[in-house]
Amino acid sequence: IMNEDFVPFELAVKLKEKGFNYPCIAHYDINKKLRVVIREPIFWHSDVLSYIDAPTISQVLKWLREEKKIHITVLVITDCSKDADNNICEEWSFWSFYVTNLNDGSTVYDDFEKIDCIEYQSYKEATLAGIEYVLNNLL
């Protein structure tokens, strides 16, 4: 497992606040440094953050699906600009995400459908943005 597989410190804190409790093989120390070790899950100590579990992105997506019934889909979108005669001038691809409620299959949020959608440059960037959206708006 590489460091890029783990959520960043700020998301790890939010996940803990939202009830994430899957066992993790890594944690962030008091200096926000990622440490990968095989151990029992670390927990909060008397209102002082000494260690916080660092889940992998895959663990978070699984937790959202299984525990919260929320699925984040990340996909590549191709877009283009056209000239006055409706001919394609430029074409480009980027990553985006949408969120589905697994209880009824409804789309809860579709970033690409927004007029000011963000064109994410990587799968990881779009996935973390999706997780951040869910934590801030749905949980």
Side-chain angles (χ1 to χ4, degrees):
I1 293 180
M2 302 177 60
N3 285 0
E4 66 206 33
D5 295 329
F6 297 94
V7 299
F9 175 79
E10 294 75 17
L11 270 183
V13 170
K14 281 185 184 179
L15 283 159
K16 183 70 174 177
E17 292 168 354
K18 300 294 183 172
F20 179 89
N21 61 355
Y22 281 20
C24 299
I25 62 164
H27 66 267
Y28 288 100
D29 65 19
I30 198 161
N31 297 315
K32 302 179 183 178
K33 182 170 171 116
L34 182 67
R35 306 227 180 251
V36 179
V37 291
I38 304 300
R39 58 150 179 77
E40 293 297 314
I42 301 296
F43 54 90
W44 300 78
H45 298 282
S46 64
D47 296 333
V48 176
L49 180 63
S50 55
Y51 294 97
I52 188 163
D53 285 330
T56 63
I57 292 169
S58 178
Q59 281 182 299
V60 174
L61 294 174
K62 182 178 181 180
W63 176 74
L64 289 172
R65 280 191 313 273
E66 293 180 353
E67 304 294 327
K68 305 300 181 180
K69 304 301 181 209
I70 295 170
H71 180 70
I72 298 170
T73 301
V74 177
L75 63 159
V76 174
I77 304 287
T78 300
D79 205 351
C80 64
S81 59
K82 297 181 178 181
D83 63 18
D85 297 323
N86 209 26
N87 297 315
I88 294 176
C89 300
E90 181 184 9
E91 202 169 52
W92 66 94
S93 297
F94 59 93
W95 294 90
S96 189
F97 71 90
Y98 64 92
V99 180
T100 305
N101 176 337
L102 293 177
N103 290 319
D104 63 12
S106 64
T107 299
V108 178
Y109 179 81
D110 187 341
D111 192 61
F112 179 65
E113 291 299 315
K114 291 174 38 187
I115 291 175
D116 59 343
C117 81
I118 298 173
E119 297 182 358
Y120 299 100
Q121 299 306 305
S122 70
Y123 172 85
K124 181 181 179 181
E125 186 182 357
T127 304
L128 292 175
I131 293 169
E132 182 90 28
Y133 175 83
V134 169
L135 294 177
N136 289 338
N137 298 287
L138 302 178
L139 300 183

